[in-house]
Amino acid sequence: MRSKRFVFTADINSVWDMQQIAMLRSSIKSVNALAKETDHMNEYRYDHGYDDVLTPELPRYRVSLMPRGPRRAAALADGRSKYAYDSCLPIRHAETIDVYIHERR
């Protein structure tokens, strides 16, 4: 079962998939900017006596990309140990990319 944060799997050679990643990143950037602006406005209203209660900050998000593909062949091609990319494969060697949205802390 995939994580609740999983969005989609993108093919590295697909222009459409890469555009979807760029659009998702742009959307998350806009959502975060709006949340920041709203938080500043709420803080201003509280500091200047317009509101009695300070509202909690809105969540911010981030997009994470997890490259998927053959790890040992990529490590050997880079002249590294065959175990070098067992935990994290560089994006330049990916065949597909799993896209996730996480809430920042």
Side-chain angles (χ1 to χ4, degrees):
M1 183 177 131
R2 295 206 185 246
S3 167
K4 293 179 185 178
R5 292 161 178 78
F6 176 77
V7 182
F8 65 94
T9 299
D11 182 9
I12 198 76
N13 297 317
S14 170
V15 174
W16 171 258
D17 288 348
M18 295 301 110
Q19 287 176 340
Q20 291 295 346
I21 291 173
M23 189 168 32
L24 180 64
R25 282 182 160 177
S26 175
S27 298
I28 294 298
K29 186 176 180 180
S30 298
V31 167
N32 287 341
L34 184 61
K36 181 179 179 181
E37 184 178 329
T38 302
D39 287 342
H40 283 303
M41 181 59 71
N42 289 338
E43 189 174 316
Y44 176 85
R45 291 182 59 81
Y46 177 76
D47 289 344
H48 290 84
Y50 293 109
D51 292 333
D52 294 336
V53 178
L54 182 61
T55 57
E57 287 190 358
L58 296 173
R60 306 300 200 283
Y61 300 96
R62 66 183 171 90
V63 176
S64 353
L65 305 177
M66 297 302 295
R68 306 292 184 213
R71 296 170 183 274
R72 288 189 178 185
L76 294 173
D78 284 350
R80 308 216 26 209
S81 163
K82 65 180 180 179
Y83 304 110
Y85 296 148
D86 278 356
S87 63
C88 185
L89 180 68
I91 288 183
R92 68 179 181 274
H93 293 298
E95 292 178 354
T96 60
I97 298 174
D98 286 345
V99 181
Y100 297 87
I101 297 178
H102 298 279
E103 187 173 327
R104 289 193 323 200
R105 299 178 188 244

